[in-house]
Amino acid sequence: MLSSQTPPSAGEVDRTATGPAGAAPEDPLVGDALTIGGRVFRSRLLTGTGKYPDQPTMQAAIAASACEIVTVAVRRVQSVAPGHEGLMQAIDWSRIWMLPNTAGCATADEAVRVARLGRELAKLAGQEDNTFVKLEVIPDSRHLLPDPIGTLQAAERLVGEGFTVLPYINADPVLARHLEEVGCATVMPLGSPIGSGQGLRNAAGIAMIIEAASIPVVVDAGIGVPSEAAQAMEMGADAVLINSAIALAGQAPAMARSMAEATRAGRRAFLSGRLERRPEAVASSPLNGRVGDD
């Protein structure tokens, strides 16, 4: 399978997955899968459960997205916060992999405690072997930016306890490297502030993380429209996590489907190998053999 970190250039697309002689190559998405912590997923769109107007809308959006991973705020479920009543029963956990998150934690200690609760929550959903946790350490209540030091401290402890850690971070290539070194299963850089819909304001940092990482890179936060999801995937991100842009859309299920289509289109484009950028124009038609040439 083509590496997500080393896209083919035009003319170097993998031709091994072809049909009968003379047939066109298969869709590069055939057989393409996302692997996190040894678990394989077909969808590269992760979604959430917050901010929906009601549970039927959430259920319809999750179905339309065709996602296989849904993140759940452990503290909100535990406290039965508004919008989270009956959440555990509203999702088919035999089909959806739960990604408990530590939203609302301001310190490493808090995040570790909530991650442990999240592991128990996954067991209640019938996922006995689920050790996944989306690690969020956010002391900043205004801008909701993650704490790099607290995140690294919590990640190291959770990896030591056997968790599959997916840390939410600023688009900081140095921090991403340290998190990979301590054993995190992914890194999840933010495109722009969470819930802002500002798109990939941190594209340069994300690109550097993608280039250096040997674990999946999941762009999380800030994506507002499908074109931005496609852009993240075209850059070489392995997946995107989108919640607010779907949940707060006028028609959440339709937006969820659009995000899924954009994610797949961006991934297909990345695997196909983009046209090399050039400093000057290059004619798309040959100049020799024109009418009137000698």
Side-chain angles (χ1 to χ4, degrees):
M1 184 173 63
L2 293 169
S3 168
S4 64
Q5 305 303 326
T6 53
S9 60
E12 294 180 346
V13 178
D14 184 1
R15 303 291 179 178
T16 58
T18 58
E26 290 183 4
D27 184 335
L29 293 186
V30 173
D32 179 56
L34 171 66
T35 302
I36 299 176
R39 190 171 184 89
V40 178
F41 303 94
R42 292 166 297 174
S43 173
R44 291 176 180 268
L45 171 62
L46 290 63
T47 65
T49 53
K51 301 184 179 180
Y52 284 96
D54 51 61
Q55 285 192 356
T57 301
M58 178 196 71
Q59 291 169 316
I62 289 174
S65 75
C67 70
E68 296 171 292
I69 303 176
V70 169
T71 187
V72 173
V74 176
R75 280 190 156 174
R76 295 189 184 112
V77 172
Q78 292 261 320
S79 63
V80 196
H84 290 74
E85 308 93 334
L87 178 65
M88 293 295 291
Q89 294 74 37
I91 296 175
D92 181 1
W93 298 114
S94 67
R95 188 183 69 82
I96 298 292
W97 190 247
M98 183 189 295
L99 176 56
N101 71 58
T102 63
C105 293
T107 68
D109 286 341
E110 282 185 289
V112 170
R113 288 196 298 270
V114 172
R116 293 167 182 159
L117 292 173
R119 183 164 53 187
E120 297 306 310
L121 192 67
K123 289 179 181 179
L124 290 175
Q127 298 179 6
E128 293 286 335
D129 58 340
N130 189 341
T131 60
F132 279 42
V133 60
K134 183 190 174 194
L135 175 60
E136 300 182 25
V137 181
I138 304 178
D140 169 21
S141 61
R142 180 182 177 189
H143 301 292
L144 300 176
L145 296 174
D147 174 6
I149 297 172
T151 299
L152 182 58
Q153 291 172 342
E156 194 163 13
R157 291 168 60 184
L158 290 170
V159 169
E161 293 185 19
F163 281 89
T164 302
V165 182
L166 293 76
Y168 171 62
I169 63 171
N170 285 295
D172 180 344
V174 177
L175 175 60
R177 186 183 73 245
H178 287 314
L179 288 165
E180 180 173 349
E181 288 171 350
V182 302
C184 288
T186 73
V187 286
M188 304 181 72
L190 57 88
S192 55
I194 190 167
S196 70
Q198 294 178 17
L200 303 184
R201 293 291 185 92
N202 300 319
I206 292 170
M208 286 188 280
I209 292 172
I210 291 170
E211 181 180 13
S214 58
I215 55 176
V217 177
V218 182
V219 175
D220 179 14
I223 290 175
V225 290
S227 60
E228 293 161 355
Q231 180 187 356
M233 299 304 293
E234 289 168 2
M235 289 171 60
D238 295 275
V240 290
L241 195 160
I242 304 171
N243 186 100
S244 297
I246 294 173
L248 299 178
Q251 297 185 43
M255 182 60 79
R257 179 175 178 180
S258 297
M259 290 295 188
E261 291 170 346
T263 300
R264 288 176 58 82
R267 177 65 176 175
R268 183 183 287 111
F270 174 77
L271 293 176
S272 298
R274 64 155 290 141
L275 172 68
E276 181 182 354
R277 289 185 174 91
R278 294 161 179 162
E280 56 189 29
V282 178
S284 57
S285 300
L287 297 180
N288 60 322
R290 295 175 300 177
V291 174
D293 284 349
D294 291 333

